[in-house]
Amino acid sequence: VTAAATLQGAISSSRDSMSDTQRIAVVWVEGLPAGEPTADKPVMSQSGVQFLPRVMTVVAGQTASFPNEDDVAHNVFSLSKAKKFKLGIYPKGDTREVTFEKPGVIDLFCSIHRHMHAVIVVTPNEFSAMSEVGKPYSISDVPPGEYTVKAWNVAHNIVTRKVVVPDSGE
């Protein structure tokens, strides 16, 4: 049996007020092997002329699906350093896919509907969690060792902390 612990914490902010999207936080552990990406495809739909969910995580190497559930066409694109792509204009019922090869924060937009914006946080491995500012997060089965933990949210970008994970416990 391999020793492992649960990494727990909470994200705090000095900001007094945040929108629902600004409250979302993604936490991940760097320094662990990537492993094989799962066959599951995270889904970010276009519905109600918005992206749903507004923030999503993907593990590096994983493919995400972008179905158009609206009665209007969309053109999903990103100019982000970690992944640049343009899916082209596609109608309701069509789905496009993108594979995210490397970690990073990806801003998504629609060239037809300028108000549409979402974020995909591509983590280096499956050791990640999504939470909200002020609420706890938990990452299970982290092997013992010294790691860098990163937390992202749209209001504060990326914050980095060093942690030591014990052989077991929290």
Side-chain angles (χ1 to χ4, degrees), residues 74-140:
H74 291 289
N75 179 13
V76 179
F77 74 96
S78 170
L79 299 175
S80 300
K81 183 179 174 183
K83 182 70 175 184
K84 293 179 181 165
F85 64 90
K86 183 176 179 181
L87 298 183
I89 297 171
Y90 60 106
K92 180 177 185 170
D94 277 10
T95 298
R96 305 283 167 95
E97 294 182 345
V98 176
T99 300
F100 295 90
E101 294 86 6
K102 62 183 183 178
V105 177
I106 315 290
D107 284 296
L108 294 180
F109 300 96
C110 174
S111 65
I112 300 170
H113 306 97
R114 301 271 182 207
H115 69 278
M116 290 177 65
H117 175 244
V119 177
I120 295 177
V121 179
V122 184
T123 62
N125 53 53
E126 71 276 6
F127 296 96
S128 67
M130 193 174 302
S131 186
E132 289 184 25
V133 171
K135 295 191 177 176
Y137 67 85
S138 179
I139 302 172
S140 301

Side-chain angles (χ1 to χ4, degrees), residues 7 12 88 102 109 146 159 162:
L7 182 62
S12 61
K102 62 183 183 178
F109 300 96
E146 294 184 30
V159 176
K162 297 286 185 185

Side-chain angles (χ1 to χ4, degrees), residues 19-28 42-45 50-58 64 66 104-108 116-123 128-133 151-155 157:
S19 70
D20 289 345
T21 301
Q22 289 174 324
R23 295 193 65 73
I24 297 170
V26 177
V27 181
W28 67 94
V43 175
M44 181 170 286
S45 66
Q50 63 182 338
F51 291 111
L52 295 175
R54 298 285 176 104
V55 177
M56 179 172 83
T57 61
V58 174
F66 297 88
V105 177
I106 315 290
D107 284 296
L108 294 180
M116 290 177 65
H117 175 244
V119 177
I120 295 177
V121 179
V122 184
T123 62
S128 67
M130 193 174 302
S131 186
E132 289 184 25
V133 171
W152 170 92
N153 95 339
V154 73
N157 210 346

